[in-house]
Every structure is written in structure tokens, then in C-alpha cells.
Amino acid sequence: MKLADILYSQGFGTRRVCAGLIQQGMVAIHGGAASPEICTDCGQELAGDGLVLRVQGIDWPFHAKAYLMMHKPPLVECSRRPTVYPSVYSLLPQPLRERPVRGATQGVQAFGRLDQDTTGLLLFSDDGQFIHRMASPKKHVSKVYRVYTKHPVGGEQQARLLEVVVLDDDPAPVRASACVRLGDRELDLTLTRGRYHQVKRMLAAVGNRVVRLHRWRIGEVELPADLAPGQWRWLSAQELTSLQGASL
């Protein structure tokens, strides 16, 4: 694969911009333990797997497809066109926002979106098939939310959440696949299908109210304790394999 094509595939701009970066000596290639070597040949052939580039002083590992996680902070919208608060995409580096993708949408996409005031684990990818499988209600990929409530959660409310809950303006009943009380006003709620404001609406339907909501697990992938709000990282091979298995 030519260096200019690699740079373009990673989202560093149009083909002309990528060629310009290379010709101006702003792209270097890591080679084992040696220091990165500047390359000014746009047509140099390179293998993508394991390749690490240094573009304008920043190291960038090659990924044929992007799979990453973020610790979503509060007061951020999961939209490219936010209405009130900043977009979650503003927390990602420009190459991830501009990776070339077939279709109208450019860059990675968030899936399993969270409300503006909800925090926690958020996933992104530019792999359309993977996103579709993960988001499909037929795959039953579990999502675990830490729920903090205004009123104590009694045994009757817990039982109703596990049985059938009818939401306002929605005739199709829903239920949690697991509900673990951690305290009088704290519980872990596991869902395998997502609807608009579902956790908040479920708690309201059983006579309570959500005051804070945090998603800490999707499938078998947990939000790392050392990933601070607003930070992101690439999914590990093990995490990706786990999610791909859960969505099959």
C-alpha cells in the first residue's frame, strides 16, 4: 500500500493534502527500535499491519478499521450537530473525525448513544457492518447501567423492572434482564434492547426517578478505571474479539 494512500485512509486529509504532508517532510515511519525516519516518497510501498507513523510530530498506529472507546463526560451530546452542548466528536482527534468512509457520513460513528447528561462507556467505529450488528435488537448485546435514584428502590420496584414495564406512549412492554440493588438508591440495571431514554422511563414507570446515570459495561467490555471522562483509546484485540462474538 502506498504511503500517500495509507495517510489518506487514516483521515489525514484529502489525497492532495496527504501528498503535501509527505513531500514537506512531515511524515516519518517507525522502524523497530530506531528513531522514526522521515519519508518524502508518496509512492513508497508499506505494509499496513503493525505500521506506526509519525505525522507532524504525533505518533499514529495504522488501523484498517477504527474501533475505540470513550469515557463520555456529562453535558456532551452524541451528535455531529449538537443543539445545546458540545459534540462528543469534538473530543476525538481530527483524523478519526475525517477518516474516509463509504456513504454520506465521514469518520467514526458513535453507537449505543448516551443522553447528554449520561456518562460512561461509549463505542465508536467506521465499520458499518460491526455497528449494525452491535446496534441490532436481535443480537441482545447487554449494556449495564449504574443507576442512582431519587427515592429508595424497594423490592416491588425491583421485581417490576425484571418483569414487564409499559412505557408512556409506547405499547411494546420492556424489561431488564438483570437488576441488582447496590444500595437504597443505587442499582445496576442490565438491558439488551435500547429505546429513547429507556432507563429513565422505566424507573419513572415504577414510581421512581433517575438522578444520575452511568453506563459501565457493554457485553463483556468494561469501562477502564484509568480512563478519565473525556478520554478515549483504541479497543484492545481481546475487547474487540469479545464484542464481535457478542454481536454474532
Side-chain angles (χ1 to χ4, degrees):
M1 193 174 182
K2 294 180 179 179
L3 178 57
D5 292 333
I6 290 176
L7 214 61
Y8 171 73
S9 75
Q10 301 303 288
F12 284 97
T14 65
R15 296 184 187 277
R16 178 174 295 182
V17 168
C18 291
L21 290 172
I22 296 168
Q23 292 164 355
Q24 294 171 42
M26 296 182 180
V27 180
I29 302 168
H30 283 268
S35 299
E37 296 184 1
I38 294 175
C39 178
T40 57
D41 181 4
C42 296
Q44 180 172 342
E45 292 284 345
L46 297 166
D49 292 343
L51 177 66
V52 179
L53 303 170
R54 178 167 291 180
V55 184
Q56 295 179 299
I58 299 175
D59 289 343
W60 192 266
F62 173 85
H63 289 83
K65 291 290 185 181
Y67 307 93
L68 50 137
M69 67 163 66
M70 177 188 287
H71 185 165
K72 179 189 173 296
L75 305 182
V76 174
E77 296 183 27
C78 291
S79 171
R80 294 181 184 276
R81 297 180 178 179
T83 56
V84 178
Y85 298 102
S87 169
V88 71
Y89 293 94
S90 67
L91 302 175
L92 295 174
Q94 184 174 349
L96 288 173
R97 302 196 305 267
E98 296 188 359
R99 284 173 69 98
V101 181
R102 292 182 179 179
T105 303
Q106 189 176 34
V108 296
Q109 297 181 56
F111 55 99
R113 293 165 54 145
L114 296 171
D115 299 337
Q116 59 193 28
D117 56 344
T118 301
T119 62
L121 181 58
L122 186 62
L123 301 179
F124 295 81
S125 182
D126 60 352
D127 184 341
Q129 291 184 343
F130 175 67
I131 294 173
H132 176 74
R133 291 198 307 270
M134 287 293 298
S136 173
K138 297 180 180 179
K139 303 302 180 181
H140 303 291
V141 179
S142 63
K143 300 177 178 67
V144 186
Y145 297 83
R146 183 67 46 84
V147 186
Y148 301 87
T149 63
K150 182 176 182 179
H151 309 291
V153 179
E156 182 180 349
Q157 288 184 346
Q158 185 180 15
R160 288 182 61 191
L161 290 169
L162 290 167
E163 293 171 358
V164 174
V165 178
V166 178
L167 307 178
D168 291 340
D169 303 322
D170 195 338
V174 297
R175 70 178 186 86
S177 59
C179 181
V180 179
R181 282 198 293 171
L182 305 174
D184 286 346
R185 293 176 171 83
E186 182 180 351
L187 57 88
D188 273 350
L189 198 68
T190 303
L191 304 179
T192 56
R193 302 183 70 173
R195 295 181 185 172
Y196 181 70
H197 292 325
Q198 181 170 336
V199 175
K200 297 174 182 177
R201 294 166 70 198
M202 287 179 70
L203 268 295
V206 300
N208 214 315
R209 179 183 174 186
V210 174
V211 296
R212 185 155 66 93
L213 189 59
H214 177 81
R215 183 167 67 200
W216 63 272
R217 195 176 81 190
I218 298 177
E220 297 301 318
V221 175
E222 297 184 7
L223 182 67
D226 60 353
L227 193 66
Q231 290 185 337
W232 70 276
R233 70 163 173 79
W234 300 99
L235 290 177
S236 69
Q238 182 178 357
E239 290 166 339
L240 179 57
T241 298
S242 171
L243 290 170
Q244 289 173 327
S247 65
L248 292 177

